Amino acid sequence: MDIKHLRTFLVASKTLNFTKTAEQMQYAQSSVTAQIKKLEAELNLNLFERLGKRLVLTQSGESLRQYATKIVHLEEEARKSLKADRNGGTLIIGAQESQCTYRLPGLLRDFKLKYPSIQLIFKAAHSDEMATKSLMTGEIDLAFIMDAQKMNPYVHSTPLIQEKLLLICSPTHSLAAQSTVIPEELGTETILYTESGCPYRNTFEDILNNHQVTPKTTLEFVSLEAIKQCVISNLGVAVLPEMVVKEELKKTELVELKFKVELPTLTTQMALHKDKWVSPQLADFMDMTKEYFI
């Protein structure tokens, strides 16, 4: 059933007059008559009947009127909703805690000022594998990944900025006075790790394994802030991105250890599924992200 025909039928069911219906709909009367006849032919039912000079709804016409009211209302509701989506909607972003805390707040503030109706949802991605899986399943629209660049035929990624990793400890730690620290010296230390799968944890573990070093004690934390506070309290040493400890280094609450093994840099990347439909809002978010990270 053509929605236009249903609209005409609804007006006619109220006016019970094709001439008045034509005036309200700004159609020729012949057009109203043709639309009603086409609807009746499609349904194989009489919707109106003439009793003398009066036009009245048949029982079938009354039944259709109830359904047509709902159909037209839903069509209008759908149009309004889709129109609102052009200016609003939801963006679901996957990112690690370090990105959410130290890289993205300014970008998110500017984006929300530009698009106040858009709902931004952040999903924690403790590992790049987790973020990639969420992209593949469509659970998130876009992810911020921090890792060495890897080829994935299903994921399109844009490199944004290089992230330097630092080996850190408390200024009162015994290693702080040394000019350099070799991996073997960490065998007697307590290592404070982020969650399993975190790229900078993986990097540090690979270095220790390559030098056949097994730390005396390891502690695992969900929170970067918890790791920093424990290192400040001289509980152990950790490897974290420079952006995470920048302020504490300035205040000398933490110190960088001169590690004899060069810690590789990681790349913060903006990633999305190669087949992802990019809405105008998502496209603008991506453009703003590129400008923000320059």
Side-chain angles (χ1 to χ4, degrees):
M1 289 179 283
D2 192 315
I3 194 75
K4 180 176 71 173
H5 296 168
L6 290 177
R7 289 180 183 276
T8 299
F9 165 73
L10 282 175
V11 174
S13 70
K14 292 179 181 178
T15 65
L16 297 176
N17 186 301
F18 285 179
T19 300
K20 290 182 179 179
T21 299
E23 291 174 357
Q24 287 190 31
M25 302 292 292
Q26 296 185 334
Y27 292 150
Q29 183 176 334
S30 59
S31 178
V32 171
T33 302
Q35 288 184 43
I36 298 299
K37 285 184 176 180
K38 189 169 183 178
L39 194 55
E40 289 180 324
E42 185 177 356
L43 297 171
N44 196 26
L45 292 168
N46 290 325
L47 301 175
F48 295 93
E49 62 179 343
R50 288 191 177 276
L51 300 177
K53 294 184 178 181
R54 293 177 59 239
L55 189 69
V56 297
L57 273 176
T58 63
Q59 185 175 347
S60 296
E62 179 59 33
S63 295
L64 178 62
R65 185 183 67 80
Q66 296 177 39
Y67 285 109
T69 300
K70 295 177 183 178
I71 292 170
V72 170
H73 175 74
L74 282 174
E75 192 261 356
E76 291 173 349
E77 187 177 282
R79 287 182 180 276
K80 289 178 182 178
S81 177
L82 293 172
K83 183 178 180 181
D85 283 348
R86 289 199 293 268
N87 299 315
T90 301
L91 289 182
I92 305 177
I93 310 295
Q96 293 175 345
E97 179 194 355
S98 56
Q99 299 293 334
C100 294
T101 305
Y102 302 100
R103 288 282 185 221
L104 299 178
L107 169 64
L108 301 181
R109 178 200 62 221
D110 292 344
F111 185 76
K112 284 297 291 181
L113 286 173
K114 189 172 183 179
Y115 295 97
S117 299
I118 288 184
Q119 183 182 12
L120 280 172
I121 297 176
F122 270 83
K123 286 198 171 182
H126 302 301
S127 69
D128 296 325
E129 289 79 8
M130 183 187 296
T132 301
K133 182 179 178 181
S134 295
L135 287 174
M136 299 296 290
T137 58
E139 294 177 13
I140 59 177
D141 298 308
L142 180 144
F144 288 95
I145 292 173
M146 190 166 68
D147 201 354
Q149 284 189 268
K150 301 174 183 175
M151 293 299 296
N152 186 317
Y154 300 103
V155 175
H156 175 74
S157 61
T158 302
L160 298 171
I161 193 171
Q162 294 290 312
E163 305 287 0
K164 185 179 177 183
L165 295 178
L166 304 179
L167 179 62
I168 57 166
C169 71
S170 164
T172 60
H173 194 287
S174 59
L175 293 176
Q178 296 186 196
S179 57
T180 58
V181 175
I182 62 174
E184 289 73 15
E185 290 180 281
L186 299 179
T188 58
E189 296 296 331
T190 297
I191 307 297
L192 280 59
Y193 283 130
T194 50
E195 288 185 282
S196 180
C198 176
Y200 28 100
R201 171 176 176 167
N202 291 345
T203 298
F204 193 28
E205 285 184 321
D206 287 345
I207 290 173
L208 296 180
N209 289 335
N210 289 338
H211 287 80
Q212 299 181 330
V213 174
T214 302
K216 178 184 69 174
T217 307
T218 61
L219 299 175
E220 183 176 306
F221 295 83
V222 174
S223 166
L224 292 174
E225 188 61 33
I227 292 177
K228 286 196 298 182
Q229 292 304 318
C230 287
V231 175
I232 289 172
S233 299
N234 203 12
L235 189 60
V237 300
V239 166
L240 293 174
E242 184 178 23
M243 64 174 171
V244 173
V245 296
K246 192 174 182 179
E247 291 304 313
E248 287 79 9
L249 290 172
K250 284 182 180 179
K251 298 174 183 176
T252 65
E253 294 175 341
L254 293 172
V255 295
E256 177 189 357
L257 293 172
K258 302 302 180 183
F259 200 31
K260 192 170 183 180
V261 179
E262 184 178 358
L263 291 167
T265 57
L266 301 178
T267 303
T268 291
Q269 304 158 61
M270 178 173 60
L272 72 164
H273 194 288
K274 71 177 186 66
D275 297 326
K276 172 70 180 174
W277 177 72
V278 179
S279 67
Q281 299 94 326
L282 179 56
D284 201 15
F285 181 83
M286 294 168 66
D287 288 340
M288 290 176 67
T289 298
K290 293 173 187 175
E291 293 176 5
Y292 182 81
F293 275 87
I294 291 176

